Amino acid sequence: MKTAAHCLWLGIASLTLAACSKPEAPPEAPRPVRYVVAGAAAQQQGDSYAGEIRARHETNLAFRVAGKVVAKLANSGDRVKKGQTLARLDPSDYALDLSAKQAQLAAAQSDLGQQELNLKRYRELLAKQFVSQSQVDGQQNAVNAARAKVDQARAQLAASRNQTGYTSLVADADGVLSQMAAEPGLVVAAGQPMARLSQDGPREAAIQVPENALDKVRRAGQFQVRLWNGGAPMTGTLRELAADADPATRTYPARVAIGGDSSRLQLGMTASVALPDAADAQMRLPLTALLDEQGKHYVWLIAANGKVARRAVTVSRVDADSATLSQGVQAGDKIVTAGIHLLRDGQAVKLLER
């Protein structure tokens, strides 16, 4: 009986212990987060502007006379040489005017020859005292007038010849036609732009600067220019900054001259022009990394053991998509940028690819 009672007691104790014990909870899986490295190259840039690669010298080409386009000899995107004809106007009216001016010159030259012969005869008669000196002087004046008419007719002929030559639209430098508006049948006025020639040579990045960044852009010694299709960054300098804002965008057009080899720069490429601003942009973080609680600001710092810790920071400036910190973060610190409201001190995290 003792043995049976003893066994019964052991069974009840085992059941009691089993009922009181709880299974251990599985360890919490690390929470995936995105992050940035404070002071990294991507964060060290200051203001950045989207730009377009343009030629240093761009010329709007136009006919210097009015007329009807009868021939188009080049298209947009064509590479042209200096002196190459791009389009022609109907030269009929100008050819007729040229013929008229040639006839006027011939008539003036004929009249001058006759007046010179008359002057010669008058002088011979003066020697024989058949005419007076005043008559000879009058004939000399007629010769001078005839000679002036010849000069006038010759100048008019040269102008008419120029007008005839202006019926051809000619490239004044080597380059690329970025625009060609001349089409056969189009009637154009003198000076109406027909083509845009982007000359070979230096290339620039055309950007638009907002009014709150004008002083910063003027003071910048150099700019970093990066093509959106990749490649090594290039150094640029401010060449031109407009004094008046564009009436449509209310921004100020600027040109950044790009140094070095420009052979890989194609017209119209998109570029990013950045102002180095390491003084206050070194600790610039995305706004998504900033935790605001009761008027105080914090960030989640990722420690070497893969756990996060909340750290108080001092914000010196807030932009549209970033915040500049003056205290609380050091260069090289890993800062969480996504999921900051779901973390707690000491929580393990899994770093996602940025």
Side-chain angles (χ1 to χ4, degrees), residues 258-271:
I258 301 174
D261 183 18
S262 61
S263 59
R264 68 187 181 99
L265 300 179
Q266 301 298 320
L267 298 175
M269 280 184 168
T270 304

Side-chain angles (χ1 to χ4, degrees), residues 12-206:
I12 294 173
S14 298
L15 291 174
T16 304
L17 291 175
C20 295
S21 63
K22 296 182 180 180
E24 295 184 1
E28 182 181 7
R31 179 175 293 277
V33 295
R34 296 190 182 278
Y35 71 100
V36 295
V37 179
Q43 302 299 323
Q44 289 179 357
Q45 292 183 345
D47 296 340
S48 180
Y49 306 97
E52 178 186 2
I53 300 301
R54 303 279 288 275
R56 167 65 177 84
H57 299 285
E58 296 178 327
T59 307
N60 287 326
L61 303 179
F63 290 105
R64 298 172 66 174
V65 294
K68 179 181 179 180
V69 179
V70 294
K72 177 182 178 182
L73 306 177
N75 298 299
S76 297
D78 288 353
R79 175 164 292 280
V80 297
K81 297 292 186 180
K82 182 178 181 179
Q84 181 177 337
T85 301
L86 309 178
R88 288 195 181 97
L89 297 178
D90 183 1
S92 302
D93 293 341
Y94 298 99
L96 291 174
D97 183 71
L98 179 61
S99 298
K101 295 301 191 297
Q102 289 173 336
Q104 290 177 5
L105 176 59
Q109 289 173 333
S110 178
D111 182 61
L112 174 60
Q114 183 61 48
Q115 295 298 335
E116 288 176 340
L117 287 176
N118 291 341
L119 177 60
K120 182 179 180 182
R121 294 190 186 100
Y122 270 70
R123 286 174 176 171
E124 291 174 353
L125 293 174
L126 177 63
K128 297 177 182 180
Q129 297 185 350
F130 290 155
V131 296
S132 64
Q133 182 63 44
S134 63
Q135 290 175 301
V136 175
D137 293 341
Q139 184 58 39
Q140 179 64 55
N141 185 63
V143 170
N144 294 339
R147 185 174 290 112
K149 289 182 179 179
V150 170
D151 293 339
Q152 180 184 19
R154 186 174 289 114
Q156 290 176 343
L157 176 61
S160 180
R161 187 175 289 114
N162 288 341
Q163 295 288 306
T164 303
Y166 295 155
T167 58
S168 294
L169 184 64
V170 178
D172 54 6
D174 296 347
V176 177
L177 289 180
S178 55
Q179 181 181 356
M180 186 63 177
E183 294 292 342
L186 180 65
V187 178
V188 300
Q192 180 179 346
M194 288 288 101
R196 177 184 289 271
L197 176 64
S198 298
Q199 299 183 19
D200 291 342
R203 295 292 185 253
E204 299 178 342

Side-chain angles (χ1 to χ4, degrees), residues 249-316:
T249 63
R250 304 309 305 166
T251 56
Y252 293 78
R255 289 292 190 99
V256 176
I258 301 174
D261 183 18
S262 61
S263 59
R264 68 187 181 99
L265 300 179
Q266 301 298 320
L267 298 175
M269 280 184 168
T270 304
S272 175
V273 180
L275 284 74
D277 194 12
D280 64 352
Q282 183 180 7
M283 296 307 161
R284 179 175 294 181
L285 299 176
L287 280 179
T288 56
L290 202 62
L291 182 64
D292 188 354
E293 291 185 356
Q294 299 180 353
K296 297 183 179 180
H297 300 97
Y298 304 89
V299 295
W300 288 104
L301 175 67
I302 304 174
N305 59 2
K307 296 183 179 181
V308 295
R310 193 171 69 166
R311 176 177 293 180
V313 295
T314 302
V315 178
S316 60

